[in-house]
Amino acid sequence: MRHLAPIVIEVMFDSLVHAGVYRRVGLAGWATWWKVKRSPGHLPRRHQATTAVLEGARRRRLGATRPRPQELAPPGRSWVRQLLA
């Protein structure tokens, strides 16, 4: 969960609008998708969504009766990349 979840979140967020949608409205499909994915406005939205998921997971885990040591550890590199990229 710790290493896979941030990757899954990134893929799900980037896949909300498929490249075929851009092609359907007359734009270059994959080229437009890549431009949008790398645009300055896209990254803060993804960070906001990822932060909410991370905070929810932390609250849920810290409410457990006896958290495991890895649950108390700081976020892994995958999470940091999602939050600060």
Side-chain angles (χ1 to χ4, degrees):
M1 169 75 176
R2 182 177 180 168
H3 300 288
L4 184 61
I7 296 166
V8 170
I9 291 169
E10 179 180 2
V11 170
M12 287 178 62
F13 190 82
D14 290 341
S15 300
L16 286 174
V17 179
H18 190 270
V21 173
Y22 298 113
R23 191 173 50 240
R24 183 79 169 144
V25 297
L27 300 170
W30 285 105
T32 305
W33 184 84
W34 277 108
K35 286 179 186 175
V36 169
K37 178 180 162 81
R38 294 177 178 150
S39 71
H42 182 78
L43 204 55
R45 285 190 298 272
R46 192 179 81 209
H47 291 174
Q48 183 181 10
T50 304
T51 302
V53 171
L54 177 61
E55 289 305 315
R58 280 186 171 174
R59 269 188 260 119
R60 174 116 164 73
R61 290 293 184 190
L62 293 178
T65 56
R66 201 172 87 185
R68 295 181 294 224
Q70 68 267 25
E71 292 168 352
L72 298 174
R77 277 183 289 159
S78 300
W79 281 108
V80 171
R81 187 176 68 92
Q82 284 295 318
L83 296 171
L84 303 176

